[in-house]
């Protein structure tokens, strides 16, 4: 395992507070987002579904996440056009840092439309102290995952393809 993709970061840059995004699934250009907290005494969870489509930037980030799959399984590199990302599930440590990721991909492997579901279950985020034999998500792909999380939060706050227009009328013009 090479360390070339690892980016130096401060510990606070990727710390998540509040509700955690546990899973993002894309369906009909809409993101279905599952939220949860990791409080030991009470649990808050829920799903976030919007009828509006995601932005082009979010779709691009989502499609770019296939790079993670092709880096974990290089033989699929030539099949990237036949791959469709189904969902990404995020796991956090007790301090709120992203620690592991599961990815589900649908591979249409022939012209008749037959598919295989490929599940990459709970791959750790690379840390320098890991052994050389550990297969992990690289630093550049960790950044991509955090960009996807940012885009999902923006989507939940109304950043959709058809952005909500302001309801305040300015009569001074």
């Amino acid at each position: 395992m090479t360390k070339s993709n690892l980016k130096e970061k401060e510990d606070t840059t990727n710390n998540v507070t509040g509700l955690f995004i546990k899973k993002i699934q894309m369906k009909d250009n809409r993101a279905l987002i599952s939220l949860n907290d990791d409080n030991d005494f009470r649990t808050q969870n829920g799903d976030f579904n919007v009828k509006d489509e995601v932005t082009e930037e979010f779709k691009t980030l989502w499609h770019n996440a296939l790079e993670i799959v092709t880096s974990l399984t290089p033989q699929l590199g030539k099949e990237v056009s036949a791959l469709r990302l189904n969902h990404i599930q995020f796991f956090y440590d007790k301090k709120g840092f992203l620690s592991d990721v599961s990815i589900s991909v649908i591979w249409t492997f022939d012209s008749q439309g037959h598919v295989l579901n490929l599940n990459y279950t709970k791959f750790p985020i690379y840390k320098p102290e890991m052994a050389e034999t550990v297969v992990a998500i690289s630093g550049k792909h960790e950044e991509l995952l955090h960009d996807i999380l940012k885009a999902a939060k923006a989507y939940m706050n109304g950043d959709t393809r058809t952005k909500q227009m302001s309801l305040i009328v300015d009569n001074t013009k």
Side-chain angles (χ1 to χ4, degrees), residues 19-27 30-36 45-54 58 151-160:
L19 289 176
F20 294 90
I21 293 177
K22 288 292 194 177
K23 183 178 177 182
I24 302 173
Q25 181 175 7
M26 199 66 75
K27 187 174 183 181
R30 293 179 25 225
L32 309 172
I33 302 169
S34 298
L35 302 164
N36 196 355
N45 57 20
D47 294 326
F48 190 85
N49 300 322
V50 176
K51 296 206 184 275
D52 287 339
E53 294 183 3
V54 297
F58 194 170
K153 288 177 185 176
Y155 179 70
M156 292 184 335
N157 287 326
D159 189 12
T160 62

Side-chain angles (χ1 to χ4, degrees), residues 21 23-24 26 29-33 35 48 50 52-65 88 90 92 142-161 163:
I21 293 177
K23 183 178 177 182
I24 302 173
M26 199 66 75
N29 290 327
R30 293 179 25 225
L32 309 172
I33 302 169
L35 302 164
F48 190 85
V50 176
D52 287 339
E53 294 183 3
V54 297
T55 61
E56 288 299 318
E57 178 186 351
F58 194 170
K59 276 186 4 184
T60 301
L61 288 169
W62 187 257
H63 181 71
N64 289 346
I88 301 174
F90 301 91
Y92 303 89
E142 180 186 3
E143 291 298 322
L144 176 61
L145 292 169
H146 283 287
D147 289 343
I148 289 171
L149 286 170
K150 286 178 194 171
K153 288 177 185 176
Y155 179 70
M156 292 184 335
N157 287 326
D159 189 12
T160 62
R161 179 173 281 202
K163 294 182 181 179

